[in-house]
Short mmCIF file of all heavy atoms in Angstrom, two decimals:
data_model
loop_
_atom_site.label_atom_id
_atom_site.label_comp_id
_atom_site.label_asym_id
_atom_site.label_seq_id
_atom_site.Cartn_x
_atom_site.Cartn_y
_atom_site.Cartn_z
N ASP A 19 41.32 3.31 -31.77
CA ASP A 19 42.70 3.75 -31.94
C ASP A 19 43.08 4.84 -30.95
O ASP A 19 44.01 5.60 -31.20
CB ASP A 19 42.91 4.25 -33.37
CG ASP A 19 42.79 3.12 -34.38
OD1 ASP A 19 43.18 1.98 -34.06
OD2 ASP A 19 42.28 3.38 -35.49
N LEU A 20 42.37 4.93 -29.84
CA LEU A 20 42.66 5.93 -28.81
C LEU A 20 43.16 5.26 -27.54
O LEU A 20 42.83 4.11 -27.27
CB LEU A 20 41.41 6.75 -28.51
CG LEU A 20 40.80 7.53 -29.66
CD1 LEU A 20 39.52 8.22 -29.21
CD2 LEU A 20 41.79 8.55 -30.21
N THR A 21 43.92 6.01 -26.76
CA THR A 21 44.39 5.54 -25.46
C THR A 21 43.43 6.06 -24.40
O THR A 21 43.26 7.27 -24.26
CB THR A 21 45.81 6.07 -25.18
OG1 THR A 21 46.69 5.60 -26.19
CG2 THR A 21 46.30 5.61 -23.82
N PRO A 22 42.78 5.17 -23.63
CA PRO A 22 41.88 5.63 -22.58
C PRO A 22 42.67 6.16 -21.38
O PRO A 22 43.67 5.56 -20.96
CB PRO A 22 41.08 4.38 -22.22
CG PRO A 22 41.83 3.22 -22.75
CD PRO A 22 42.76 3.71 -23.79
N TYR A 23 42.21 7.27 -20.82
CA TYR A 23 42.89 7.89 -19.68
C TYR A 23 41.90 8.77 -18.92
O TYR A 23 40.79 9.03 -19.39
CB TYR A 23 44.08 8.73 -20.16
CG TYR A 23 43.68 10.05 -20.76
CD1 TYR A 23 43.90 11.23 -20.08
CD2 TYR A 23 43.03 10.12 -21.99
CE1 TYR A 23 43.51 12.45 -20.62
CE2 TYR A 23 42.63 11.32 -22.53
CZ TYR A 23 42.87 12.49 -21.84
OH TYR A 23 42.47 13.68 -22.37
N ILE A 24 42.31 9.23 -17.74
CA ILE A 24 41.54 10.23 -16.99
C ILE A 24 42.39 11.49 -16.97
O ILE A 24 43.55 11.45 -16.54
CB ILE A 24 41.22 9.76 -15.56
CG1 ILE A 24 40.38 8.48 -15.58
CG2 ILE A 24 40.49 10.86 -14.80
CD1 ILE A 24 40.05 7.92 -14.21
N ALA A 25 41.85 12.61 -17.43
CA ALA A 25 42.59 13.87 -17.46
C ALA A 25 43.02 14.28 -16.05
O ALA A 25 42.32 14.02 -15.06
CB ALA A 25 41.73 14.97 -18.08
N TYR A 26 44.16 14.92 -15.96
CA TYR A 26 44.73 15.32 -14.67
C TYR A 26 43.73 16.13 -13.84
O TYR A 26 43.54 15.85 -12.65
CB TYR A 26 46.01 16.12 -14.90
CG TYR A 26 46.69 16.53 -13.63
CD1 TYR A 26 47.41 15.61 -12.88
CD2 TYR A 26 46.59 17.84 -13.18
CE1 TYR A 26 48.03 15.99 -11.70
CE2 TYR A 26 47.21 18.23 -12.01
CZ TYR A 26 47.93 17.30 -11.27
OH TYR A 26 48.53 17.68 -10.10
N ASP A 27 43.07 17.13 -14.43
CA ASP A 27 42.09 17.92 -13.68
C ASP A 27 40.92 17.08 -13.18
O ASP A 27 40.40 17.32 -12.09
CB ASP A 27 41.54 19.08 -14.52
CG ASP A 27 42.45 20.30 -14.50
OD1 ASP A 27 43.42 20.31 -13.72
OD2 ASP A 27 42.18 21.23 -15.28
N ASP A 28 40.50 16.09 -13.97
CA ASP A 28 39.43 15.20 -13.52
C ASP A 28 39.88 14.40 -12.30
O ASP A 28 39.11 14.23 -11.35
CB ASP A 28 39.01 14.25 -14.65
CG ASP A 28 38.26 14.96 -15.77
OD1 ASP A 28 37.73 16.06 -15.53
OD2 ASP A 28 38.22 14.41 -16.89
N VAL A 29 41.11 13.94 -12.30
CA VAL A 29 41.65 13.21 -11.14
C VAL A 29 41.62 14.12 -9.91
O VAL A 29 41.15 13.73 -8.83
CB VAL A 29 43.09 12.73 -11.39
CG1 VAL A 29 43.71 12.17 -10.12
CG2 VAL A 29 43.14 11.68 -12.49
N MET A 30 42.11 15.35 -10.06
CA MET A 30 42.19 16.28 -8.94
C MET A 30 40.81 16.68 -8.42
O MET A 30 40.68 17.05 -7.26
CB MET A 30 42.99 17.52 -9.34
CG MET A 30 44.44 17.21 -9.71
SD MET A 30 45.33 16.22 -8.48
CE MET A 30 45.43 17.35 -7.13
N ASN A 31 39.79 16.60 -9.27
CA ASN A 31 38.43 16.95 -8.87
C ASN A 31 37.57 15.72 -8.56
O ASN A 31 36.34 15.81 -8.49
CB ASN A 31 37.77 17.80 -9.96
CG ASN A 31 38.39 19.16 -10.04
OD1 ASN A 31 38.55 19.84 -9.03
ND2 ASN A 31 38.76 19.58 -11.23
N ASN A 32 38.23 14.57 -8.37
CA ASN A 32 37.54 13.31 -8.05
C ASN A 32 36.44 12.98 -9.04
O ASN A 32 35.35 12.53 -8.67
CB ASN A 32 36.98 13.35 -6.63
CG ASN A 32 38.07 13.39 -5.60
OD1 ASN A 32 39.05 12.66 -5.69
ND2 ASN A 32 37.92 14.25 -4.62
N LYS A 33 36.73 13.20 -10.32
CA LYS A 33 35.80 12.83 -11.39
C LYS A 33 36.35 11.58 -12.07
O LYS A 33 37.55 11.50 -12.32
CB LYS A 33 35.65 13.97 -12.40
CG LYS A 33 34.98 15.18 -11.81
CD LYS A 33 34.82 16.25 -12.85
CE LYS A 33 34.13 17.47 -12.26
NZ LYS A 33 34.02 18.55 -13.25
N TYR A 34 35.50 10.65 -12.35
CA TYR A 34 35.90 9.36 -12.94
C TYR A 34 35.42 9.32 -14.38
O TYR A 34 34.46 8.64 -14.70
CB TYR A 34 35.34 8.22 -12.10
CG TYR A 34 35.72 8.38 -10.64
CD1 TYR A 34 34.82 8.91 -9.73
CD2 TYR A 34 36.99 8.06 -10.21
CE1 TYR A 34 35.18 9.09 -8.40
CE2 TYR A 34 37.36 8.23 -8.88
CZ TYR A 34 36.44 8.75 -7.98
OH TYR A 34 36.81 8.92 -6.68
N ILE A 35 36.10 10.09 -15.23
CA ILE A 35 35.72 10.23 -16.62
C ILE A 35 36.82 9.64 -17.49
O ILE A 35 37.95 10.13 -17.49
CB ILE A 35 35.50 11.71 -16.99
CG1 ILE A 35 34.41 12.32 -16.10
CG2 ILE A 35 35.15 11.84 -18.47
CD1 ILE A 35 34.28 13.82 -16.24
N ILE A 36 36.51 8.57 -18.20
CA ILE A 36 37.45 7.97 -19.13
C ILE A 36 37.34 8.71 -20.46
O ILE A 36 36.25 8.80 -21.03
CB ILE A 36 37.16 6.46 -19.35
CG1 ILE A 36 37.18 5.70 -18.03
CG2 ILE A 36 38.14 5.87 -20.36
CD1 ILE A 36 38.53 5.48 -17.42
N ARG A 37 38.46 9.24 -20.91
CA ARG A 37 38.51 9.97 -22.18
C ARG A 37 39.45 9.22 -23.12
O ARG A 37 40.22 8.36 -22.68
CB ARG A 37 39.02 11.39 -21.97
CG ARG A 37 38.14 12.20 -21.03
CD ARG A 37 38.75 13.58 -20.77
NE ARG A 37 37.99 14.32 -19.78
CZ ARG A 37 36.93 15.07 -20.03
NH1 ARG A 37 36.49 15.18 -21.26
NH2 ARG A 37 36.30 15.71 -19.07
N GLY A 38 39.41 9.54 -24.39
CA GLY A 38 40.31 8.91 -25.36
C GLY A 38 41.24 9.94 -25.98
O GLY A 38 40.80 11.00 -26.39
N ARG A 39 42.53 9.64 -25.99
CA ARG A 39 43.49 10.53 -26.63
C ARG A 39 44.24 9.77 -27.71
O ARG A 39 44.38 8.54 -27.62
CB ARG A 39 44.46 11.13 -25.62
CG ARG A 39 45.44 10.14 -25.04
CD ARG A 39 46.39 10.82 -24.08
NE ARG A 39 47.32 9.87 -23.52
CZ ARG A 39 47.85 9.97 -22.33
NH1 ARG A 39 47.53 10.97 -21.54
NH2 ARG A 39 48.69 9.07 -21.90
N PRO A 40 44.74 10.48 -28.71
CA PRO A 40 45.50 9.79 -29.76
C PRO A 40 46.71 9.05 -29.18
O PRO A 40 47.33 9.53 -28.23
CB PRO A 40 45.95 10.93 -30.67
CG PRO A 40 44.98 12.04 -30.42
CD PRO A 40 44.59 11.90 -28.97
N VAL A 41 47.02 7.91 -29.73
CA VAL A 41 48.12 7.08 -29.24
C VAL A 41 49.45 7.84 -29.30
O VAL A 41 50.33 7.61 -28.47
CB VAL A 41 48.22 5.77 -30.06
CG1 VAL A 41 49.34 4.88 -29.57
CG2 VAL A 41 46.90 5.02 -30.01
N SER A 42 49.58 8.77 -30.23
CA SER A 42 50.83 9.51 -30.39
C SER A 42 51.13 10.46 -29.23
O SER A 42 52.26 10.89 -29.05
CB SER A 42 50.80 10.31 -31.69
OG SER A 42 49.72 11.23 -31.66
N ILE A 43 50.15 10.77 -28.41
CA ILE A 43 50.36 11.66 -27.26
C ILE A 43 50.70 10.81 -26.05
O ILE A 43 49.91 9.97 -25.62
CB ILE A 43 49.11 12.52 -26.99
CG1 ILE A 43 48.85 13.40 -28.20
CG2 ILE A 43 49.28 13.34 -25.72
CD1 ILE A 43 47.59 14.19 -28.12
N THR A 44 51.87 11.03 -25.49
CA THR A 44 52.35 10.18 -24.39
C THR A 44 52.58 10.94 -23.09
O THR A 44 53.10 10.38 -22.15
CB THR A 44 53.65 9.47 -24.80
OG1 THR A 44 54.63 10.47 -25.12
CG2 THR A 44 53.43 8.55 -25.99
N SER A 45 52.18 12.19 -23.01
CA SER A 45 52.41 12.99 -21.81
C SER A 45 51.62 12.44 -20.62
O SER A 45 50.43 12.18 -20.72
CB SER A 45 51.99 14.44 -22.05
OG SER A 45 52.03 15.16 -20.84
N ASN A 46 52.30 12.28 -19.48
CA ASN A 46 51.64 11.82 -18.26
C ASN A 46 50.84 12.93 -17.59
O ASN A 46 50.13 12.68 -16.64
CB ASN A 46 52.68 11.28 -17.28
CG ASN A 46 53.25 9.97 -17.74
OD1 ASN A 46 52.59 9.19 -18.40
ND2 ASN A 46 54.50 9.72 -17.40
#
Side-chain angles (χ1 to χ4, degrees):
D19 294 326
L20 300 176
T21 299
Y23 77 108
I24 300 178
Y26 182 76
D27 276 352
D28 290 339
V29 171
M30 298 309 292
N31 291 311
N32 294 315
K33 294 182 180 177
Y34 307 100
I35 301 171
I36 303 287
R37 300 176 185 274
R39 70 178 179 210
V41 181
S42 61
I43 298 174
T44 59
S45 172
N46 289 329

